[in-house]
Amino acid sequence: MNPYVTFFEAELDAIIAMQFRGIVDTTEGMDIPKYRGIVAMVFYCLMGNVDQDRLPPTQGKEETVACTVTDPFQNLNEYYKKGDLIIGGMTSQLSWIADELYFSEHPKTKCVDELLAKSKKYQHVLSLVFAVKEINDNTQILPNVSLGFHIYDSYDNARITHQNTLNLLSTTKRSVPNFKCDKRKNLIAVIGGSDSEISLYMAILLDTYKIPQVASCVLAPVRNVKTQLPSIYRMVPNEAYQYKGISQLLLHFQWTWVGLIASDDESGETFMQNMWPVLSQHGICTAFNEKLPPLSQALENFSSLELVRAKTSLLTISNIKVLVACAEPQTMTTLLWMIYYFLLLENLTEISIGKVWILTAQWDFSFETRLRAVDLQLFNGALSFAIYSNKVLGFTKFLQILHPNFPKGDGFLRIFWQKAFNCLFSDSKEHNENTNACTGQEKLDKLPGFLFEMRMTGQSYSIYNAVHAIAHTLHKIYSCTPKHGAMEGRGRLYPPNLQPWQLHPFLRSISFNNSAGETVSFDENGELAAGFDIINWVTFPNQSFLRVKVGRMDPQASQGQEFTVKGEAITWHSTFNQMQPFAMCNDHCQPGYSKTKKEGKPFCCFNCTPCPDDMISNPKDMGNCFKCPEDQFPNKNQDQCIPKTLNFLTFSEPLGITLAFLALSFSLITALVFGIFNKHEDTPIVKANNRDLTYTLLITLLLCFLCSLLFIGKPHTVICCLRQTAFGIIFSIAVSCVLAKTITVVWAFMATKPGSKMRKWVGKRQGKYFLLGCSFIQTSICVVWLCTAPPFPDFDMNSLAEEIIVECNDGSVIMFYCVLGYMGLLAIVSFIVAYQARKLPDSFNEAKFITFSMLVFCSVWLSFVPSYLSSKGKYMVAVEVFSILASSAGLLGCIFAPKCYILILRPDLNSRNPLSCRNKQQ
């Protein structure tokens, strides 16, 4: 085997092991032979320029190796302008498809298709050139120092990227790594590349020499870039903000059923790995995760209509309305070619795909020139995240003076012109009979936006700021005194003496205002301290489009304002009729329903189950139903809570009015009876029944009727304390009066028997003492009740579904039933005594009437207990009021109605003689 080959392979293994150590989390899945091959090709082609004395001696027979440069892409497009300091650049205006590289033979670069041009990316070159020109024209930034540039094209190819990166490190004519053969090219920093993969290929080589690299794209495949590649800076925000912004955008519009599209490479894999957990964390499901193959492989497969249909069918699934795409150039190029071939094979002019595209910041609406026939309406209404850009004064005028006949060293201008305007110059080596001749008078502003724009795009603006960042860093260095710590002892830093690595301490902390008036600075991770704009792309039938800024993802904004979007400003795809698209696995669960998981489906797919009777759900798509607050209840649809009404017996409702009317009526009747008895107080019938007890009974009955009014109206503390205690004491006095009257009569008859010892107990005073004694016991019970657990106003939230019961809580149920029990005891004793005295002479005896009245009284209160316990709210109070009125009316009617009859209608019976005669007859 060739010893030189062995030497370089050993060197490559060491370089690759060194460069990739720590760059990725694991070497599993890392195609090390691929990267060896990429760098090896460059070294093989450079072997003819390497000093043979530096190679190890051969053993045995000497062999000579002649490396003939046969690569047709050695003389590549470039743009060079000399200066005291040179800024390198790497663009991706052109691309081509090459065969896979194998080392069974001398490596060669074989182009299997014609050059593919993305004419819009020529603006990246122009933005760098314009920025350098602007800085050289401004004597305030770098006086007496001129900037130059050297720009190469990566061709979106790893091999050419490595080769041209080495060209930047070498002189303008020869590529000799590790040697600086002359001083004509003083490279100070590099800007590029246009996508993450190209940027990393460059960074692996540039970081070895500590040359600052300012990337204008998001570095998706790499984690902890600043730690592992400290020489790279990014004039773009951190990609994590973009992932968060996408999830916030989906949540804002309640899109939980989306498709993910990315390229089948490291960039696409990292996008999937980072995006999927973020979406899952926010409750968003992915209907599919499609990885598009590399373009070379895709073009081979697209020759089959069935394969094309299989791929495009993902774009036409009816229930997937939102597609999230990693808009790396590889992804979008393959996607557009897929659509192009589908139209070509199906013989169609357009494809109707009513989708909402959500695209990452790499998207700039850039099509390859061969895809100009693809209908832009496909992306109408798309939403993309974009690096913030501003209008740069003078840039449009700078574009207008470009002329392909006077390229002034610009190796990109003429090929851009040919591809963009689909024409050929007379001296062009390409031959196409159907192509018009280029005159040089074509107007850039007439090109459709997907081929070229007159305004500076987001990535061009990043390149523009990158050049200014380097210039302001140099300005800061030249403004420093020799005492600066980083430069101390190293002499004056004039351009010939300045080394690229010396820029790092200044570049990390640079902060300046560019010509657009915007502050530009890097954060601690070497990334642009900024956020992303949210752009709505509005396309028109004439292949033009309009950018509309509809929101922003700004991590530096105040809390709660990081993500903003104006939904009303968004123009949706025409198939949605300007209605917000619906992107869920199934229809919304309406309020009143809750989501239940569908077996075997993603967590975003669910069934809708009605809420239980006492629960609601609001708003839509609730995972669980919930109960209303205690003071509210569900409405009929179970989608909102309605405040409960207060439930208590009022004077304004029919039931309250009726009870109050009865109480007042019976009170009036009682007062009338009292008046009648008072008028006839000296008559025999009044005297015969213990007049004092009769008056006491009438007064207590009057109070019984009136105390029922305490139970009507909204309860408060005083009323609650008075309700049951007043009722208990007054009723006990009334029943005690009845009992005293009955016992007095019994004692009187017993005292009339010969030899009876009851004579000393007969008299008015004994009845009063008995009344006081019985009333004292009930009063004592009520006092203990009020002192230990008094009643208080309370709200019962749970007994009634739609009402809050405002009630008097008894405080102590035991004391309440003690009061009722004692009152019942008095009534039963009265009933028994009256029943035993029913056969006494009528002229002196009320026993029959008292017996009947006690029977009514006991019946009322015995029926009260079950009725009271089975009632709720105001009806419970009404039962008690009715019992008070009924029992009081029973006493009034049964005891006093017969006497009033005699006093008013039969006064002839109200005398001793009729009474005595009746007694004798009996």
Side-chain angles (χ1 to χ4, degrees), residues 173-191:
K173 299 297 182 183
R174 303 174 64 193
S175 296
V176 185
N178 294 325
F179 287 89
K180 191 172 184 179
C181 300
D182 57 45
K183 298 182 179 181
R184 290 183 298 167
K185 181 179 175 183
N186 191 9
L187 182 70
I188 199 66
V190 176
I191 298 174

PDB file of all heavy atoms in Angstrom, residues 173-191:
ATOM      1  N   LYS A 173      -4.031  31.299  -4.511  1.00  0.00           N
ATOM      2  CA  LYS A 173      -3.676  30.454  -5.646  1.00  0.00           C
ATOM      3  C   LYS A 173      -3.470  28.993  -5.279  1.00  0.00           C
ATOM      4  O   LYS A 173      -3.753  28.120  -6.064  1.00  0.00           O
ATOM      5  CB  LYS A 173      -2.381  30.981  -6.310  1.00  0.00           C
ATOM      6  CG  LYS A 173      -2.517  32.399  -6.850  1.00  0.00           C
ATOM      7  CD  LYS A 173      -3.565  32.479  -7.950  1.00  0.00           C
ATOM      8  CE  LYS A 173      -3.669  33.893  -8.527  1.00  0.00           C
ATOM      9  NZ  LYS A 173      -4.720  33.989  -9.539  1.00  0.00           N
ATOM     10  N   ARG A 174      -2.945  28.718  -4.088  1.00  0.00           N
ATOM     11  CA  ARG A 174      -2.588  27.349  -3.753  1.00  0.00           C
ATOM     12  C   ARG A 174      -3.157  26.993  -2.387  1.00  0.00           C
ATOM     13  O   ARG A 174      -3.211  27.814  -1.486  1.00  0.00           O
ATOM     14  CB  ARG A 174      -1.056  27.181  -3.729  1.00  0.00           C
ATOM     15  CG  ARG A 174      -0.381  27.562  -5.030  1.00  0.00           C
ATOM     16  CD  ARG A 174       1.125  27.497  -4.878  1.00  0.00           C
ATOM     17  NE  ARG A 174       1.561  26.137  -4.613  1.00  0.00           N
ATOM     18  CZ  ARG A 174       2.780  25.825  -4.194  1.00  0.00           C
ATOM     19  NH1 ARG A 174       3.667  26.781  -3.983  1.00  0.00           N
ATOM     20  NH2 ARG A 174       3.110  24.573  -3.986  1.00  0.00           N
ATOM     21  N   SER A 175      -3.561  25.725  -2.223  1.00  0.00           N
ATOM     22  CA  SER A 175      -4.090  25.237  -0.956  1.00  0.00           C
ATOM     23  C   SER A 175      -3.029  24.415  -0.257  1.00  0.00           C
ATOM     24  O   SER A 175      -2.752  23.276  -0.640  1.00  0.00           O
ATOM     25  CB  SER A 175      -5.334  24.370  -1.203  1.00  0.00           C
ATOM     26  OG  SER A 175      -6.358  25.155  -1.763  1.00  0.00           O
ATOM     27  N   VAL A 176      -2.377  25.012   0.730  1.00  0.00           N
ATOM     28  CA  VAL A 176      -1.338  24.321   1.492  1.00  0.00           C
ATOM     29  C   VAL A 176      -1.674  24.475   2.970  1.00  0.00           C
ATOM     30  O   VAL A 176      -1.331  25.482   3.580  1.00  0.00           O
ATOM     31  CB  VAL A 176       0.068  24.893   1.207  1.00  0.00           C
ATOM     32  CG1 VAL A 176       1.130  24.071   1.936  1.00  0.00           C
ATOM     33  CG2 VAL A 176       0.333  24.935  -0.288  1.00  0.00           C
ATOM     34  N   PRO A 177      -2.351  23.518   3.563  1.00  0.00           N
ATOM     35  CA  PRO A 177      -2.703  23.633   4.975  1.00  0.00           C
ATOM     36  C   PRO A 177      -1.475  23.721   5.863  1.00  0.00           C
ATOM     37  O   PRO A 177      -0.432  23.132   5.574  1.00  0.00           O
ATOM     38  CB  PRO A 177      -3.488  22.337   5.244  1.00  0.00           C
ATOM     39  CG  PRO A 177      -3.923  21.858   3.893  1.00  0.00           C
ATOM     40  CD  PRO A 177      -2.881  22.298   2.940  1.00  0.00           C
ATOM     41  N   ASN A 178      -1.597  24.478   6.955  1.00  0.00           N
ATOM     42  CA  ASN A 178      -0.560  24.649   7.982  1.00  0.00           C
ATOM     43  C   ASN A 178       0.601  25.522   7.527  1.00  0.00           C
ATOM     44  O   ASN A 178       1.563  25.671   8.263  1.00  0.00           O
ATOM     45  CB  ASN A 178       0.003  23.293   8.461  1.00  0.00           C
ATOM     46  CG  ASN A 178      -1.041  22.479   9.184  1.00  0.00           C
ATOM     47  OD1 ASN A 178      -1.884  23.034   9.879  1.00  0.00           O
ATOM     48  ND2 ASN A 178      -0.999  21.171   8.997  1.00  0.00           N
ATOM     49  N   PHE A 179       0.492  26.120   6.327  1.00  0.00           N
ATOM     50  CA  PHE A 179       1.553  27.004   5.859  1.00  0.00           C
ATOM     51  C   PHE A 179       0.945  28.326   5.410  1.00  0.00           C
ATOM     52  O   PHE A 179      -0.147  28.361   4.859  1.00  0.00           O
ATOM     53  CB  PHE A 179       2.344  26.370   4.702  1.00  0.00           C
ATOM     54  CG  PHE A 179       3.260  25.259   5.139  1.00  0.00           C
ATOM     55  CD1 PHE A 179       2.809  23.941   5.194  1.00  0.00           C
ATOM     56  CD2 PHE A 179       4.572  25.533   5.506  1.00  0.00           C
ATOM     57  CE1 PHE A 179       3.638  22.932   5.601  1.00  0.00           C
ATOM     58  CE2 PHE A 179       5.410  24.498   5.906  1.00  0.00           C
ATOM     59  CZ  PHE A 179       4.947  23.192   5.957  1.00  0.00           C
ATOM     60  N   LYS A 180       1.696  29.380   5.659  1.00  0.00           N
ATOM     61  CA  LYS A 180       1.306  30.700   5.191  1.00  0.00           C
ATOM     62  C   LYS A 180       2.416  31.192   4.276  1.00  0.00           C
ATOM     63  O   LYS A 180       3.453  31.669   4.714  1.00  0.00           O
ATOM     64  CB  LYS A 180       1.123  31.652   6.381  1.00  0.00           C
ATOM     65  CG  LYS A 180       0.476  32.968   6.017  1.00  0.00           C
ATOM     66  CD  LYS A 180       0.151  33.759   7.272  1.00  0.00           C
ATOM     67  CE  LYS A 180      -0.584  35.037   6.913  1.00  0.00           C
ATOM     68  NZ  LYS A 180      -0.937  35.810   8.113  1.00  0.00           N
ATOM     69  N   CYS A 181       2.172  31.025   2.978  1.00  0.00           N
ATOM     70  CA  CYS A 181       3.258  31.203   2.018  1.00  0.00           C
ATOM     71  C   CYS A 181       3.524  32.667   1.689  1.00  0.00           C
ATOM     72  O   CYS A 181       4.602  33.003   1.239  1.00  0.00           O
ATOM     73  CB  CYS A 181       2.945  30.441   0.735  1.00  0.00           C
ATOM     74  SG  CYS A 181       2.755  28.654   1.019  1.00  0.00           S
ATOM     75  N   ASP A 182       2.570  33.531   1.827  1.00  0.00           N
ATOM     76  CA  ASP A 182       2.799  34.952   1.587  1.00  0.00           C
ATOM     77  C   ASP A 182       1.815  35.747   2.419  1.00  0.00           C
ATOM     78  O   ASP A 182       1.014  35.201   3.151  1.00  0.00           O
ATOM     79  CB  ASP A 182       2.688  35.295   0.082  1.00  0.00           C
ATOM     80  CG  ASP A 182       1.340  34.882  -0.488  1.00  0.00           C
ATOM     81  OD1 ASP A 182       0.316  35.151   0.168  1.00  0.00           O
ATOM     82  OD2 ASP A 182       1.316  34.293  -1.587  1.00  0.00           O
ATOM     83  N   LYS A 183       1.883  37.045   2.296  1.00  0.00           N
ATOM     84  CA  LYS A 183       1.052  37.913   3.123  1.00  0.00           C
ATOM     85  C   LYS A 183       0.002  38.646   2.313  1.00  0.00           C
ATOM     86  O   LYS A 183      -0.529  39.663   2.737  1.00  0.00           O
ATOM     87  CB  LYS A 183       1.939  38.926   3.853  1.00  0.00           C
ATOM     88  CG  LYS A 183       2.935  38.280   4.796  1.00  0.00           C
ATOM     89  CD  LYS A 183       3.756  39.327   5.528  1.00  0.00           C
ATOM     90  CE  LYS A 183       4.725  38.660   6.492  1.00  0.00           C
ATOM     91  NZ  LYS A 183       5.542  39.653   7.241  1.00  0.00           N
ATOM     92  N   ARG A 184      -0.271  38.157   1.147  1.00  0.00           N
ATOM     93  CA  ARG A 184      -1.254  38.854   0.302  1.00  0.00           C
ATOM     94  C   ARG A 184      -2.675  38.646   0.810  1.00  0.00           C
ATOM     95  O   ARG A 184      -3.569  39.391   0.466  1.00  0.00           O
ATOM     96  CB  ARG A 184      -1.130  38.356  -1.139  1.00  0.00           C
ATOM     97  CG  ARG A 184       0.126  38.791  -1.835  1.00  0.00           C
ATOM     98  CD  ARG A 184       0.132  38.312  -3.270  1.00  0.00           C
ATOM     99  NE  ARG A 184       0.114  36.848  -3.347  1.00  0.00           N
ATOM    100  CZ  ARG A 184      -0.126  36.171  -4.450  1.00  0.00           C
ATOM    101  NH1 ARG A 184      -0.383  36.812  -5.572  1.00  0.00           N
ATOM    102  NH2 ARG A 184      -0.110  34.857  -4.453  1.00  0.00           N
ATOM    103  N   LYS A 185      -2.885  37.631   1.626  1.00  0.00           N
ATOM    104  CA  LYS A 185      -4.243  37.311   2.061  1.00  0.00           C
ATOM    105  C   LYS A 185      -4.237  37.149   3.579  1.00  0.00           C
ATOM    106  O   LYS A 185      -3.867  36.113   4.100  1.00  0.00           O
ATOM    107  CB  LYS A 185      -4.722  36.030   1.386  1.00  0.00           C
ATOM    108  CG  LYS A 185      -6.145  35.623   1.751  1.00  0.00           C
ATOM    109  CD  LYS A 185      -6.510  34.368   1.006  1.00  0.00           C
ATOM    110  CE  LYS A 185      -7.869  33.844   1.426  1.00  0.00           C
ATOM    111  NZ  LYS A 185      -8.190  32.588   0.737  1.00  0.00           N
ATOM    112  N   ASN A 186      -4.631  38.195   4.299  1.00  0.00           N
ATOM    113  CA  ASN A 186      -4.608  38.208   5.753  1.00  0.00           C
ATOM    114  C   ASN A 186      -6.034  37.915   6.258  1.00  0.00           C
ATOM    115  O   ASN A 186      -6.794  38.818   6.588  1.00  0.00           O
ATOM    116  CB  ASN A 186      -4.113  39.566   6.253  1.00  0.00           C
ATOM    117  CG  ASN A 186      -3.809  39.537   7.737  1.00  0.00           C
ATOM    118  OD1 ASN A 186      -3.799  38.477   8.355  1.00  0.00           O
ATOM    119  ND2 ASN A 186      -3.563  40.700   8.307  1.00  0.00           N
ATOM    120  N   LEU A 187      -6.390  36.622   6.301  1.00  0.00           N
ATOM    121  CA  LEU A 187      -7.740  36.229   6.710  1.00  0.00           C
ATOM    122  C   LEU A 187      -7.921  36.494   8.201  1.00  0.00           C
ATOM    123  O   LEU A 187      -7.152  36.005   9.023  1.00  0.00           O
ATOM    124  CB  LEU A 187      -7.971  34.749   6.407  1.00  0.00           C
ATOM    125  CG  LEU A 187      -9.363  34.202   6.729  1.00  0.00           C
ATOM    126  CD1 LEU A 187     -10.396  34.765   5.758  1.00  0.00           C
ATOM    127  CD2 LEU A 187      -9.366  32.666   6.653  1.00  0.00           C
ATOM    128  N   ILE A 188      -8.963  37.241   8.563  1.00  0.00           N
ATOM    129  CA  ILE A 188      -9.187  37.628   9.957  1.00  0.00           C
ATOM    130  C   ILE A 188     -10.421  36.968  10.551  1.00  0.00           C
ATOM    131  O   ILE A 188     -10.504  36.752  11.751  1.00  0.00           O
ATOM    132  CB  ILE A 188      -9.292  39.172  10.068  1.00  0.00           C
ATOM    133  CG1 ILE A 188      -9.043  39.602  11.517  1.00  0.00           C
ATOM    134  CG2 ILE A 188     -10.632  39.673   9.564  1.00  0.00           C
ATOM    135  CD1 ILE A 188      -7.644  39.328  11.999  1.00  0.00           C
ATOM    136  N   ALA A 189     -11.413  36.619   9.734  1.00  0.00           N
ATOM    137  CA  ALA A 189     -12.644  35.976  10.206  1.00  0.00           C
ATOM    138  C   ALA A 189     -13.375  35.419   8.997  1.00  0.00           C
ATOM    139  O   ALA A 189     -13.094  35.782   7.849  1.00  0.00           O
ATOM    140  CB  ALA A 189     -13.532  36.966  10.962  1.00  0.00           C
ATOM    141  N   VAL A 190     -14.331  34.531   9.270  1.00  0.00           N
ATOM    142  CA  VAL A 190     -15.104  33.900   8.211  1.00  0.00           C
ATOM    143  C   VAL A 190     -16.591  33.994   8.560  1.00  0.00           C
ATOM    144  O   VAL A 190     -16.975  33.841   9.732  1.00  0.00           O
ATOM    145  CB  VAL A 190     -14.704  32.422   8.022  1.00  0.00           C
ATOM    146  CG1 VAL A 190     -15.580  31.744   6.968  1.00  0.00           C
ATOM    147  CG2 VAL A 190     -13.233  32.317   7.628  1.00  0.00           C
ATOM    148  N   ILE A 191     -17.398  34.230   7.543  1.00  0.00           N
ATOM    149  CA  ILE A 191     -18.857  34.273   7.708  1.00  0.00           C
ATOM    150  C   ILE A 191     -19.463  33.159   6.866  1.00  0.00           C
ATOM    151  O   ILE A 191     -19.189  33.045   5.676  1.00  0.00           O
ATOM    152  CB  ILE A 191     -19.418  35.640   7.276  1.00  0.00           C
ATOM    153  CG1 ILE A 191     -18.839  36.734   8.161  1.00  0.00           C
ATOM    154  CG2 ILE A 191     -20.932  35.636   7.322  1.00  0.00           C
ATOM    155  CD1 ILE A 191     -19.233  38.136   7.721  1.00  0.00           C
TER     156      ILE A 191
END
